[in-house]
């Protein structure tokens, strides 16, 4: 297969895989502070609607391609809207923990979905269509998605080795212990939640153009579970996990489609590969939770205390350094 | 701990690599089956002409998609027996779109670049069409939508046409039939599933028709396709004493709604939308289904040899009358076959490159008339179907309430 034919067939999939990686990161960010938030699809849907409405109703119609600058503006506005909403939502909701936080965020996603169905501007169940394209082909979206993923990964890499990263890890391991070490958990939990929301909103704005259409079926509860699976199967301890998970799990159904087309395969196997992708999805999640278990409580507390101490020490040094300047 | 993490990541990447390798394997074998692409003018006679069918074979839309698969397969069988395209057989290539936009786009991409189809019949849902059709438009591949009825589908582009009449044309027929049955009708209550794109656009048409006919629209009640309890909506509507109720929803919820309307004592006429246009609602509302009116774009009793052949094959295979979705998918394939034949008569297909073939085929599709199981059809310049005949069917249940059928009103 020539390179062009490969890109034509799989261009859409390659971009989808990278978008999947970004969405995995948006779930991973709150998880860095131990917050199991399923709100990402809500912000993703919000970003998509902002881009869809702006590009079809607000911006003037242009001949040829949709200006790249306007796409960047949409991404910026989506980021701002997601941040504002995340702060407003995060302050009350982040008081909840574990499964209760997950439920509250599911409710948020559901509220947004019902709103989108009932508002005129979002086009109800039909949604918004005819969204203009900034690139000639779908593979062109790599010009936006690759830098975004690269920047996000560099940002997370830095974040994890910085003071804030250590604090987030300390909160994840034991919030109470971290609190006793003088960390303000609410502040940092909100920070990671908002960062995740901003990322999801920006990805939504890109996706609306990428999919040509946007409707209330984008970013629903089902999507929450898929994004969570990205993180769980890739691993939730470093940012590489969600990236790998997002890429692999987005590609998986299409790879199975390709495999089902291999000649000489028994029909039942081909059928299973085509139709059984959700079973394989589920198996992967179960396997990853079995084979990547969290560490025991005792060691966890100890490491947390140590980490929190290290974080506090780092902050002290920094403050003294800043003081002496 | 670091070691284990490292190993697990290596494992995941190996897994990915293996899958990617596995997935690129089928291509050489595929390309030997499909006709040679651009430039090459070698004889194509021995090779079947590939036509893509991208419908929802899995997911919650699969009930419709599977009916479409049956219709398309019958068309492949019938037309190949008749000699295909001037002696060259056609070959349908099926790709599952599932129920979402991403799936539809992936299926379209695979059909266009890998299977090198001359045209595509699909996808199942209008929302999917808004996502995937622009992809075909950019690749200049003709698409015939077998079941997209929302406003704006043919307007997506030059290469997009549909054989499914839009709701705005089909739905009003049911109201006319209801008025014929009972000219006293005054107060109309409308119900619709607000989370379903089709129901949402259909209810708009119904409401407009009600107003055009100078009837009194007493209430509009919303529900979700996932609902099972409609008592609130039914009670609200019943208080306003309607003598006609119009429902736009899908099979399960629509059926339950009909049942609860009858259970709570509603005696007047009920019109069901296209989502209820399947025998799958009969087991849901049982005896209460009796008398529900549904507008049809297809009647199994339509005269004509081709419809008779289609109906006979369908009945032998499935032991029941063919539904509208199968007939529309059949029609989609038929239009491709007849357009290819007409084109072949003008210019031999094997002298055209794939790109030329797709473009010429698209022009040919839009310019001709077709005598199909749906009746006489043609397309306007945008690709919108021009269909002359519509029907209204009424559900008739047997006395035991278990079995029933759609009876076509004259």
């Amino acid at each position: 297969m020539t390179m062009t034919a490969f890109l034509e067939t799989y261009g859409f999939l390659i971009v989808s895989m990278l978008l999947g990686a970004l969405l995995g990161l948006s779930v991973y960010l709150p998880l860095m502070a131990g917050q199991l938030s399923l709100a990402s699809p809500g912000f993703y849907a919000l970003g998509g609607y902002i881009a869809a409405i702006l590009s079809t109703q607000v911006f003037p119609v242009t001949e040829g391609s949709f200006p790249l600058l306007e796409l960047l503006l949409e991404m910026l506005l989506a980021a701002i809207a997601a941040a504002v909403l995340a702060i407003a939502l995060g302050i009350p909701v982040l008081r909840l923990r574990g499964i209760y936080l997950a439920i509250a965020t599911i409710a948020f996603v559901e509220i947004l979905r019902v709103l989108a169905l009932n508002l005129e501007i979002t086009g109800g169940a039909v949604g918004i269509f005819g969204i203009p394209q900034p690139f000639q082909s779908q593979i062109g979206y790599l010009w936006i998605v690759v830098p975004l993923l690269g920047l996000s990964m560099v940002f997370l890499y830095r974040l994890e080795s910085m003071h804030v990263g250590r604090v987030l890890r300390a909160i994840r391991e034991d919030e109470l212990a971290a609190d006793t070490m003088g960390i303000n958990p609410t502040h940092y939990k909100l920070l990671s939640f908002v960062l995740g929301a901003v990322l999801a909103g920006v990805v939504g704005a890109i996706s609306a153009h990428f999919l040509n259409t946007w409707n209330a079926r984008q970013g629903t509860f089902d999507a929450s579970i898929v994004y969570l699976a990205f993180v769980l199967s890739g691993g939730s301890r470093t940012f590489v996990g969600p990236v790998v998970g997002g890429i692999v799990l987005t590609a998986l159904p299409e790879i199975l489609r390709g495999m089902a087309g291999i000649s000489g395969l028994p029909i039942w196997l081909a059928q299973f590969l085509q139709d059984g992708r959700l079973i394989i999805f589920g198996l992967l999640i179960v396997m990853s939770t079995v084979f990547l278990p969290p560490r025991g409580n005792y060691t966890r507390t100890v490491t947390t205390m140590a980490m929190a101490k290290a974080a506090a020490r780092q902050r002290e040094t920094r403050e003294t350094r800043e003081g002496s300047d | 701990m670091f070691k284990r993490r490292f190993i697990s990541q290596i494992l995941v990447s190996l897994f990915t690599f293996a899958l990617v390798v596995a997935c690129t394997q089928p291509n050489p074998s595929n390309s030997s089956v499909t006709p040679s692409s651009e430039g090459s003018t070698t004889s194509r006679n021995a090779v079947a002409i590939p036509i893509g069918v991208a419908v929802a074979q899995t997911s919650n839309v699969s009930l419709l998609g599977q009916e479409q698969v049956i219709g398309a397969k019958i068309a492949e069988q019938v037309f190949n027996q008749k000699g295909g395209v001037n002696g060259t057989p056609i070959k349908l290539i099926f790709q599952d779109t599932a129920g979402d936009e991403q799936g539809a786009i992936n299926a379209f991409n695979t059909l266009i670049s890998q299977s090198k189809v001359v045209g595509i019949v699909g996808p199942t849902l209008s929302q999917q069409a808004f996502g995937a059709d622009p992809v075909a438009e950019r690749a200049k591949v003709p698409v015939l939508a077998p079941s997209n009825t929302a406003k704006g589908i043919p307007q997506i582009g030059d290469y997009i046409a549909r054989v499914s009449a839009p709701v705005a044309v089909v739905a009003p027929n049911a109201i006319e039939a209801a008025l014929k049955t009972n000219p006293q009708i005054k107060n109309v209550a409308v119900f619709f599933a607000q989370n379903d794109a089709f129901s949402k656009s259909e209810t708009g048409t119904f409401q407009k028709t009600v107003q055009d006919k100078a009837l009194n629209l007493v209430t509009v009640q919303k529900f979700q396709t996932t609902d099972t309890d409609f008592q609130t909506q039914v009670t609200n509507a019943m208080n306003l004493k309607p003598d006609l109720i119009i429902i736009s929803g899908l099979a399960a919820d629509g059926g339950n709604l009909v049942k609860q309307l009858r259970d709570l004592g509603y005696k007047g006429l009920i019109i069901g939308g296209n989502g209820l246009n399947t025998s799958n609602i009969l087991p849901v509302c049982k005896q209460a289904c009796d008398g529900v009116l549904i507008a049809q774009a297809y009647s199994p009793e339509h005269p004509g040899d081709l419809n008779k052949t289609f109906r006979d094959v369908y009945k032998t295979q499935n032991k029941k009358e063919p539904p509208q979705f199968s007939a529309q998918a059949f029609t989609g394939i038929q239009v491709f076959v007849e357009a290819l034949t007409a084109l072949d008569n003008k210019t031999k297909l094997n002298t055209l490159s794939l790109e030329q073939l797709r473009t010429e085929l698209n022009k040919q599709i839009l310019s001709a008339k077709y005598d199909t199981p749906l009746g006489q059809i043609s397309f306007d310049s945008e690709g919108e179907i021009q269909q002359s005949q519509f029907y209204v069917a009424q559900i008739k249940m047997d006395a035991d309430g278990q079995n029933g059928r759609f009876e076509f009103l004259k």
Side-chain angles (χ1 to χ4, degrees):
Chain A
M1 194 201 258
T2 62
M3 196 60 195
T4 358
F6 179 81
L7 286 183
E8 270 174 21
T9 316
Y10 291 112
F12 177 81
L13 183 63
I14 293 166
V15 178
S16 302
M17 282 157 68
L18 300 184
L19 288 175
L22 282 163
L23 288 169
L25 286 179
S26 82
V27 177
Y28 172 72
L29 270 159
L31 217 53
M32 277 176 83
Q35 305 306 303
L36 177 59
S37 154
L38 298 177
S40 278
F43 297 108
Y44 171 72
L46 177 77
Y49 273 118
I50 289 175
I53 292 168
L54 286 178
S55 61
T56 54
Q57 289 166 27
V58 179
F59 292 151
V61 187
T62 44
E63 284 298 311
S65 295
F66 182 74
L68 205 56
L69 209 62
E70 288 178 15
L71 176 64
L72 293 174
L73 180 64
E74 285 167 11
M75 286 162 63
L76 181 69
L77 288 173
I80 293 170
V84 171
L85 190 61
I87 292 170
L89 175 74
I91 291 172
V93 158
L94 288 174
R95 290 163 193 274
L96 305 170
R97 281 182 199 182
I99 192 76
Y100 301 102
L101 174 65
I103 292 172
T105 49
I106 290 171
F108 161 73
V109 172
E110 198 59 14
I111 289 169
L112 279 191
R113 186 181 73 90
V114 173
L115 258 180
L117 282 173
N118 281 285
L119 289 177
E120 275 304 310
I121 193 165
T122 53
V126 179
I128 298 167
F129 54 88
I131 299 175
Q133 294 299 308
F135 303 103
Q136 287 301 318
S137 70
Q138 281 160 325
I139 197 80
Y141 281 90
L142 286 180
W143 289 110
I144 293 285
V145 177
V146 169
L148 185 63
L149 182 61
L151 280 176
S152 310
M153 284 173 72
V154 170
F155 177 77
L156 273 159
Y157 176 72
R158 285 298 302 143
L159 189 73
E160 281 183 357
S161 49
M162 267 163 52
H163 166 71
V164 180
R166 284 162 212 257
V167 170
L168 292 177
R169 224 175 309 153
I171 297 173
R172 176 180 73 194
E173 296 301 330
D174 195 324
E175 193 178 327
L176 194 61
D179 205 354
T180 54
M181 301 306 297
I183 290 169
N184 179 355
T186 320
H187 176 83
Y188 287 100
K189 275 155 66 181
L190 190 63
L191 179 74
S192 65
F193 184 73
V194 171
L195 286 176
V198 165
L199 191 57
V202 171
V203 175
I206 302 170
S207 296
H209 287 274
F210 183 55
L211 290 180
N212 303 306
T213 178
W214 201 252
N215 54 46
R217 306 192 312 158
Q218 309 302 324
T220 55
F221 173 61
D222 298 2
S224 311
I225 301 304
V226 174
Y227 303 165
L228 189 63
F230 291 170
V231 182
L232 287 181
S233 61
S236 58
R237 294 284 148 170
T238 69
F239 69 93
V240 184
V243 171
V244 174
I247 289 176
V248 172
L249 285 201
T250 313
L252 198 59
E254 290 313 304
I255 287 166
L256 295 177
R257 187 201 290 279
M259 281 172 71
I262 297 176
S263 45
L265 219 57
I267 290 172
W268 63 267
L269 187 60
Q271 278 294 324
F272 178 73
L273 288 174
Q274 272 237 344
D275 307 344
R277 65 171 200 251
L278 288 180
I279 300 173
I280 298 170
F281 246 52
L283 267 179
L284 262 178
I285 296 174
V286 172
M287 272 162 55
S288 53
T289 37
V290 171
F291 291 113
L292 303 166
R295 280 151 295 146
N297 258 336
Y298 172 71
T299 40
R300 194 173 75 180
T301 318
V302 173
T303 37
T304 314
M305 301 271 280
M307 270 193 282
K309 248 185 233 162
R313 207 178 305 134
Q314 198 188 19
R315 190 171 44 185
E316 263 173 35
T317 3
R318 199 184 49 196
E319 273 164 9
T320 41
R321 202 172 48 220
E322 277 164 5
S324 64
D325 277 345
Chain B
M1 179 209 114
F2 174 74
K3 248 185 195 165
R4 188 194 294 169
R5 194 170 68 202
F6 189 66
I7 287 169
S8 69
Q9 274 169 13
I10 293 274
L11 277 180
V12 170
S13 23
L14 272 180
F15 183 45
T16 327
F17 184 66
L19 287 175
V20 167
V21 169
C23 107
T24 44
Q25 225 174 6
N27 306 317
S29 61
N30 260 10
S31 55
S32 66
V33 184
T34 50
S36 42
S37 55
E38 305 150 60
S40 148
T41 54
T42 46
S43 160
R44 206 185 293 220
N45 275 341
V47 185
I49 301 173
I51 298 173
V53 180
V55 293
Q57 290 168 265
T58 60
S59 88
N60 57 349
V61 203
S62 61
L63 274 183
L64 306 180
Q66 280 159 9
E67 289 188 345
Q68 294 174 320
V69 169
I70 297 174
K73 279 190 174 155
I74 294 178
E76 183 182 31
Q77 182 192 333
V78 167
F79 291 108
N80 277 343
Q81 269 167 12
K82 288 185 175 182
V85 179
N86 291 335
T88 314
I90 58 159
K91 181 178 189 306
L92 297 190
I93 297 170
F94 290 88
Q95 281 297 348
D96 174 30
T97 63
D100 57 353
E101 289 72 14
Q102 287 89 341
I105 297 177
N106 279 322
F108 268 50
N109 276 327
T110 311
L111 287 173
I112 293 170
S113 343
Q114 214 178 71
S115 311
K116 308 221 178 300
V117 296
V118 297
I120 298 174
V121 173
T124 305
L125 296 180
S126 296
Q127 290 151 316
Q128 293 180 302
F130 288 130
D133 284 355
V135 174
E137 172 69 19
R138 255 172 277 155
K140 298 195 165 41
V141 177
V143 173
L144 283 173
S147 56
N148 306 154
T149 50
K151 204 176 142 194
I153 296 285
Q155 287 76 20
I156 293 173
D158 296 337
Y159 285 80
I160 315 299
R162 62 173 157 199
V163 296
S164 45
V167 263
V169 181
V170 187
N173 294 289
I175 297 184
E176 268 161 35
L179 284 172
K180 224 191 247 173
T181 320
N182 177 11
Q184 310 301 322
I185 289 174
K186 267 218 179 58
N187 295 330
V188 184
V190 170
F191 288 69
F192 77 99
Q194 63 164 184
N195 59 338
D196 177 53
F198 176 77
S199 303
K200 160 101 169 128
S201 47
E202 188 183 60
T203 197
T205 307
F206 274 133
Q207 290 174 30
K208 188 171 171 297
T209 316
V210 166
Q211 273 147 8
D212 289 350
K213 300 265 172 208
L215 298 169
N216 187 15
L217 182 63
V218 290
T219 176
V220 176
Q221 297 287 331
K222 297 175 187 177
F223 59 93
Q224 307 261 336
T225 49
T226 45
D227 286 353
T228 48
D229 177 25
F230 305 94
Q231 300 215 12
T232 325
Q233 291 97 325
V234 170
T235 321
N236 284 345
M238 295 280 284
N239 288 338
L240 300 161
K241 307 220 177 319
D243 16 60
L244 173 65
I245 285 179
I246 303 175
I247 300 169
S248 295
L250 299 180
D253 47 313
N256 270 318
L257 176 53
V258 169
K259 187 168 183 301
Q260 290 177 26
L261 277 167
R262 294 300 186 204
D263 286 351
L264 291 172
Y266 175 68
K267 296 269 188 293
L269 277 172
I270 298 178
I271 290 177
N274 199 36
L276 282 69
N277 191 5
T278 154
S279 49
N280 294 327
I281 77 159
L282 302 181
V284 183
C285 49
K286 300 211 163 98
Q287 193 59 50
C289 300
D290 197 69
V292 173
L293 292 167
I294 299 173
Q296 306 281 336
Y298 168 70
S299 159
E301 275 140 54
H302 175 74
D305 290 343
L306 193 59
N307 184 44
K308 192 178 172 304
T309 320
F310 166 65
R311 186 185 180 186
D312 289 346
V313 178
Y314 188 93
K315 276 176 95 169
T316 346
Q317 283 178 6
N318 302 283
K319 314 277 175 274
K320 57 177 185 186
E321 291 288 349
Q324 180 187 314
F325 287 105
S326 302
Q328 287 172 329
F330 180 95
T331 304
I333 303 293
Q334 183 195 349
V335 168
F336 270 125
V337 173
E338 288 187 5
L340 281 165
T341 313
L343 184 62
D344 191 49
N345 291 338
K346 282 188 223 161
T347 351
K348 280 276 157 241
L349 295 185
N350 52 21
T351 61
L352 297 169
S353 73
L354 184 60
E355 268 174 43
Q356 287 169 324
L357 176 55
R358 285 168 170 170
T359 311
E360 293 303 316
L361 177 60
N362 187 55
K363 280 186 203 150
Q364 179 61 41
I365 287 172
L366 297 184
S367 63
K369 280 197 172 67
Y370 308 87
D371 192 9
T372 69
L374 305 178
Q376 185 73 242
I377 64 164
S378 60
F379 301 94
D380 72 5
S381 57
E382 279 185 322
E384 184 67 272
I385 184 176
Q386 308 292 309
Q387 185 176 352
S388 47
Q389 281 159 295
F390 294 100
Y391 312 87
V392 177
Q394 187 160 35
I395 299 179
K396 287 277 179 251
M397 298 301 291
D398 294 341
D400 62 357
Q402 294 303 318
N403 295 304
R405 68 212 153 270
F406 288 78
E407 259 179 27
F408 282 76
L409 301 180
K410 293 283 173 266

